[in-house]
Amino acid sequence: MDKKEFEGNEQLNNNATPEETAASANTSEASVEAETFSAAPENVNPANIAAANASPEAVPVMNKVGGGSTPPSSPKGGKGWMIASIVLAAALIIVLIKPPFQKDDSSTAVATVNGSDITKAQLYDKLVEAGGETTLQNLITTTLVDQEAKKANITVTDEDINAEIEDLKTQFGGEDALNAALAQSSMTLDDLKAQMPLQVEIRKLLEPKVTVTDEDVSTYFNENKATFNQEEEVQASHILVATKEEADAIVKQLKEGADFATLAKEKSSDTGSKDKGGDLGFFKKGDMVTEFSDAAFALKVGETSGAVKSDYGYHVIKVTDRKEAHEYTLEEKKEEIKKTLISQKVSEMSSTWLQDLTTNATITNTLTDEPEASATPAASAEPEATEAPAAE
């Protein structure tokens, strides 16, 4: 990156690197069973959020210093499929699981408009039209997987769910990033947990069918060795102001015992970090503009800089933690890589496995099966809702 990519402090809410964007795209391509049983539109798939929101041309140079929140990175390790398949149309599921549209009450009004009834049957028809076929297919798939899990004596425990959630947090880069991804899909962590049993069952059913050899692990490590190396990182906080005089005054206050976080909240113009006491989290040297990085990486933990000028203004920087560079060995990363490869293979297998499961099952689907010539669905027999009378 160079300075010409800087687009202004008010636009610093796109942090995803081009590499993360590419990883997100790859993960999305690997989300094979999302096509099989995801009822949600593609644009609410958290695995695609980073790719949708991050444009390489818009990535600022100092992408962690500025206003706005950090969009989540996509999960790495081949498990994007787990999130890709969790968003179900809840209202439709309720309707289809517990239909209030029995033969004896399909004409019951669910609403009235100026005396004109809208019946349960009409509501049902509209809900089916809006996505009932896909939602019912999701329920069929869930039932098939549950049946297979029961045959294999597979159970899903709270520990299983929590382990999957923790794994996803790691892949997204932390709990905040995962929550942000879920929020963009109008979901909460509890919503995710409620849908996770299906994913756990699929994993437990398919993992025994997967084989990962030491040679597979070694090949993966050698092909991706650079990605395992840990660059030196520092964690720092900063206070951003417009002039050197303001920065010098802050330095003076700090020397006199003022609290850094308090001053950041009061005086910093960086809307992305001021409410966190100026904390920028951990970053690599290349994540920031040269002037900022050189100053931050020259400080020891606990030290505070003088006024540091950059294109953003003047910074007062305090380093709060440091991670030394580390080159990982195959032995150190062996288990992590094995887990990644297993997840990838489960993802690759799942679509075909689910298709075979569906093909070999006896399924009656009243929304897609050809109706009998003489059969007329009760719901369809109901008249359309009449328009409200015009006000006189």
Side-chain angles (χ1 to χ4, degrees), residues 12 15 62-70 173 176 233-240 259-283 288 292 296 301-303 315-323:
L12 299 183
N15 296 17
M62 186 180 280
N63 58 11
K64 288 198 176 184
V65 180
S69 58
T70 304
D176 289 344
E233 295 183 358
V234 297
Q235 181 178 11
S237 299
H238 83 137
I239 301 171
L240 176 64
D259 179 67
F260 192 100
T262 300
L263 288 181
K265 292 177 182 179
E266 293 175 356
K267 300 180 181 296
S268 182
S269 61
D270 179 5
T271 58
S273 68
K274 64 180 299 180
D275 291 339
K276 296 180 287 186
D279 182 31
L280 299 169
F282 278 97
F283 54 87
M288 305 298 183
F292 191 95
V301 174
E303 287 185 340
H315 311 264
V316 179
I317 306 167
K318 181 178 181 179
V319 170
T320 56
D321 203 354
R322 182 181 293 270
K323 292 179 182 177

Side-chain angles (χ1 to χ4, degrees), residues 148-168:
E148 290 302 300
K150 187 175 181 180
K151 290 178 188 176
N153 294 319
I154 287 173
T155 57
V156 178
T157 66
D158 289 342
E159 289 75 14
D160 290 327
I161 300 299
N162 291 332
E164 297 289 345
I165 297 295
E166 290 304 314
D167 195 15
L168 285 172

Side-chain angles (χ1 to χ4, degrees), residues 14 16 20-21 24-25 28 42-55 71-72 74 184:
N14 258 345
E20 287 171 330
T21 304
S24 177
S28 300
E42 291 182 1
N43 62 352
V44 298
N45 177 359
N48 293 331
I49 288 173
N53 288 352
S55 167
S74 66
Q184 292 192 40

Side-chain angles (χ1 to χ4, degrees), residues 39-40 86-98 127 135 138-139 186 191 195:
I86 63 171
V87 186
L88 302 177
L92 288 170
I93 290 176
I94 293 172
V95 167
L96 294 170
I97 292 178
K98 296 184 177 180
L127 287 171
T135 304
N138 289 335
L139 292 170
S186 300
D191 296 329
Q195 300 300 331

